[in-house]
Amino acid sequence: MTKNAIVFTANTMHVAQANLMIDSLFDPAKGNFQGDLWVISTHLSEQCQEFLESRGIRYLINPLASFQSWKYRREIARSQPEYQNGKLGEDDAFLLYRNKRMSKLIICDWVEKFGQNYDAIALCDNDLYFQRDVNDLFAKTGHIDPNVVWYWQEENTILPGSYLWTKNVNYARLHDVDGLDFGQHEINIGFIISSPRLMRHVFQRVGNFFSSCNVELFRDCHWHDQDL
């Protein structure tokens, strides 16, 4: 019998907002999920941890300490609006960016620690609402191909002159794009399914791209994990 997990990213404030997602996920008339639910987070308060434990939701806290020495850390922190308008200092501005743009990288650590216990996992955001049996999505993967990621794309196409089109143009300006096809639609990483091993492989590459891509993409063009 296969065993599945759903892993969502959230810090303390987001867990409080995730009740609708959690309730709809386990509601037999809606998500009807039969597997394990996990939170991956850079920080959870003790009260939040107690709440998750009371709901049978497991969690992994990882502050992504390696990115404290990210070569772009200071430049990215100083480019955040909250730093520029004086609301946050440099350290807090970077932590805000890290929590919003990098937290899915914790899935690499999660797979190392717990991935062997699952056949397939879904990595998702915390603002979802499930309206039908989510087990059908896992069933579509069958005996999951270790080389396949299941995802969906944004409905709107990437039109010339649009925000996403401009992002891609700037990538092409700064990097070799020979053989790279951006496609007509952006991949949405708000809900993706794969084997644990492949999920780790994908996000290890994303983590590497945070250092190998030109800083201008992150500083000026608002590139983040979904773009990578």
Side-chain angles (χ1 to χ4, degrees), residues 10-13 15 41-53 59 61:
N11 282 349
T12 298
M13 63 179 292
V15 170
S41 177
T42 57
H43 178 267
L44 295 170
S45 69
E46 289 188 15
Q47 184 178 11
C48 184
Q49 293 175 43
E50 291 171 359
F51 165 75
L52 292 172
E53 291 166 359
Y59 55 85
I61 300 171

Side-chain angles (χ1 to χ4, degrees), residues 102-116:
M102 294 176 156
S103 60
K104 281 190 170 65
L105 298 178
I106 301 172
I107 196 64
C108 299
D109 184 33
W110 184 91
V111 171
E112 288 285 348
K113 290 181 169 69
F114 308 107
Q116 72 276 6

Side-chain angles (χ1 to χ4, degrees), residues 6 8 19-28 30-34 36-37 129-130 132 134-135 191:
I6 292 179
F8 71 94
N19 250 338
L20 188 62
M21 183 194 79
I22 295 167
D23 289 343
S24 66
L25 177 63
F26 289 114
D27 186 334
K30 295 177 181 175
N32 192 34
F33 184 53
Q34 306 298 318
D36 294 337
L37 184 60
Y129 179 68
F130 294 92
R132 63 184 68 176
V134 72
N135 300 292
F191 192 96

Side-chain angles (χ1 to χ4, degrees), residues 133-189:
D133 197 319
V134 72
N135 300 292
D136 291 344
L137 294 175
F138 285 99
K140 287 181 183 296
T141 67
H143 298 291
I144 194 161
D145 186 329
N147 300 308
V148 171
V149 174
W150 293 73
Y151 69 92
W152 192 243
Q153 62 194 21
E154 298 287 358
E155 296 292 340
N156 295 328
T157 57
I158 301 175
L159 299 174
S162 66
Y163 178 63
L164 290 174
W165 180 88
T166 302
K167 278 189 168 188
N168 293 342
V169 166
N170 280 303
Y171 183 92
R173 176 174 59 84
L174 296 165
H175 293 277
D176 179 15
V177 293
D178 185 38
L180 177 62
D181 181 5
F182 287 107
Q184 297 299 310
H185 298 263
E186 182 184 23
I187 293 173
N188 188 316
I189 65 169

